[in-house]
Amino acid sequence: MAPKIVSAQAKTDIPPAPAIDPAERNAFINELVEQHGFDRAEVEQGLAQAKFNQAIYEAIQRPWEAKPWHQYYPIFLTERRLEAGLAFWQQHQETLQRAEQTYGVPAHIIVAIIGVETFYGSYKGNYSVLDALYTLGFHYPPRAKFFRSELREYFLMTREEQLPLTELNGSYAGAMGYGQFISSSYRYYAVDFDGDGVRDLLTNPVDAIGSVANYFAKHGWQTGQPVTLELAPHENHAGLVTSGLKLEQTLQQLLDAGLQLPTDHGLDPAAKAKVFAFEQADGSDYWLGLQNFYAITRYNHSPLYAMVVHQFSQQLKQGR
């Protein structure tokens, strides 16, 4: 659950990667040995096979989500992706219906996620997951703690799922399979949705469908509720935009502060909501994000990502 495409921005602004800290490496090994029962030689051998990757180091610093909305959405909202999504939906119709019934997450959201993440398994990533997590966990200080945690989860995941530590490929951030699950998400949210005894998100679209639905259910998806509402142009809306993703105000509080909605909006005044701005070439569009919008941002912490998933899901729904 991380951006995978990198811009063609010049590379001169990327500082050199710092050298690995031996103390951090030793602490990582000790944790796996002492807290998780790994053999020390096994962990040391695994780390010895991990390689620093300069392309990964550069990629993490230029996500597409740093682009303005009007440059971001055309990457994903294409006729080709829509056609592929409708074909995927048709091919896996029974599985998607079962996922919707089991987890309460609509098929068009599941199909949109897998389409945005990997174009239905066509682009799962060609980076070594071990190299990605090693590079970012030990050579990228801004997020080193997170990626070392994911490297620990990767050691645990490959042991639990009986997968080869050094052979799995994924995104530059170490995300894997159809739905681009990071190691911790694989461990905690992957499901065996076809009942064959294996949680295979790497090659099995059925397990991927069930796992995406389970992820959303576990992150607060509200069945039958809207995702977001486009706001009509009004001078008040720019002033209601705040930083972050968390829904910290109720709809009533936003209305009291000047939010303009149709009288027949049908939303619960007590529901949490947040106003988001999406930058166009000639100004900004404003949308009201609701709980299901926030749930999409748990998959990728970007309002642009959540909006493109929502809009793509609506295209898919209408295309059916």
Side-chain angles (χ1 to χ4, degrees):
M1 278 77 69
K4 290 160 289 303
I5 305 174
V6 184
S7 73
Q9 182 181 346
K11 297 181 179 181
T12 56
D13 59 340
I14 298 295
I20 192 169
D21 182 343
E24 291 177 346
R25 184 180 184 277
N26 290 335
F28 178 83
I29 295 170
N30 290 338
E31 180 182 5
L32 283 176
V33 171
E34 296 168 7
Q35 298 184 27
H36 301 287
F38 278 85
D39 178 75
R40 184 174 297 275
E42 177 187 2
V43 180
E44 290 179 342
Q45 182 181 13
L47 289 180
Q49 295 179 83
K51 301 178 181 64
F52 171 79
N53 186 311
Q54 181 69 24
I56 289 170
Y57 175 72
E58 293 176 0
I60 194 68
Q61 299 178 69
R62 297 193 185 92
W64 273 116
E65 280 74 8
K67 288 182 170 290
W69 170 249
H70 65 91
Q71 294 179 10
Y72 178 81
Y73 76 83
I75 302 165
F76 301 99
L77 301 182
T78 65
E79 190 63 30
R80 182 167 169 261
R81 197 182 304 268
L82 177 59
E83 291 174 358
L86 293 172
F88 183 86
W89 194 337
Q90 181 66 30
Q91 181 182 0
H92 299 286
Q93 184 170 349
E94 292 183 3
T95 299
L96 287 158
Q97 184 176 8
R98 182 160 59 90
E100 188 166 342
Q101 292 171 345
T102 303
Y103 298 106
V105 180
H108 58 272
I109 288 290
I110 302 169
V111 176
I113 287 287
I114 296 175
V116 168
E117 289 291 340
T118 62
F119 208 101
Y120 306 102
S122 297
Y123 308 113
K124 298 176 187 174
N126 294 316
Y127 295 102
S128 160
V129 174
L130 178 62
D131 290 354
L133 298 177
Y134 172 83
T135 296
L136 300 175
F138 290 105
H139 296 278
Y140 184 55
R143 299 193 67 192
K145 183 177 180 182
F146 169 78
F147 282 107
R148 278 201 302 276
S149 172
E150 286 303 317
L151 182 59
R152 179 193 68 231
E153 296 289 328
Y154 182 65
F155 270 85
L156 291 164
M157 183 204 89
T158 52
R159 181 174 69 177
E160 293 163 357
E161 306 296 331
Q162 300 181 28
L163 293 168
L165 181 78
T166 60
E167 297 177 21
L168 303 188
N169 289 336
S171 77
Y172 67 71
M176 297 165 278
Y178 277 86
Q180 294 290 275
F181 274 37
I182 55 176
S183 306
S184 58
S185 294
Y186 202 123
R187 290 191 68 214
Y188 301 131
Y189 305 114
V191 297
D192 171 20
F193 207 51
D194 63 0
D196 66 353
V198 179
R199 303 191 305 172
D200 176 13
L201 308 189
L202 307 177
T203 65
N204 187 338
V206 175
D207 284 358
I209 288 168
S211 299
V212 169
N214 182 49
Y215 187 96
F216 273 92
K218 291 292 197 299
H219 284 83
W221 184 269
Q222 295 180 342
T223 304
Q225 295 301 306
V227 173
T228 183
L229 180 68
E230 185 172 12
L231 300 176
H234 195 279
E235 60 184 7
N236 289 356
H237 293 158
L240 296 175
V241 177
T242 55
S243 61
L245 296 169
K246 195 171 182 181
L247 311 183
E248 296 177 332
Q249 294 178 286
T250 66
L251 178 59
Q252 187 60 59
Q253 287 173 323
L254 289 170
L255 289 168
D256 293 343
L259 176 67
Q260 299 297 308
L261 288 180
T263 55
D264 59 348
H265 58 75
L267 300 175
D268 180 0
K272 291 295 184 71
K274 185 178 180 67
V275 176
F276 291 93
F278 294 88
E279 183 182 348
Q280 299 286 15
D282 57 353
S284 291
D285 296 337
Y286 297 93
W287 290 70
L288 185 70
L290 303 166
Q291 171 57 35
N292 285 344
F293 187 88
Y294 181 73
I296 299 174
T297 68
R298 300 306 84 204
Y299 209 95
N300 180 318
H301 297 176
S302 163
L304 277 70
Y305 177 88
M307 181 57 73
V308 89
V309 166
H310 167 67
Q311 292 194 1
F312 183 40
S313 75
Q314 295 305 299
Q315 290 180 349
L316 288 162
K317 188 176 180 181
Q318 292 164 11
R320 292 280 291 181

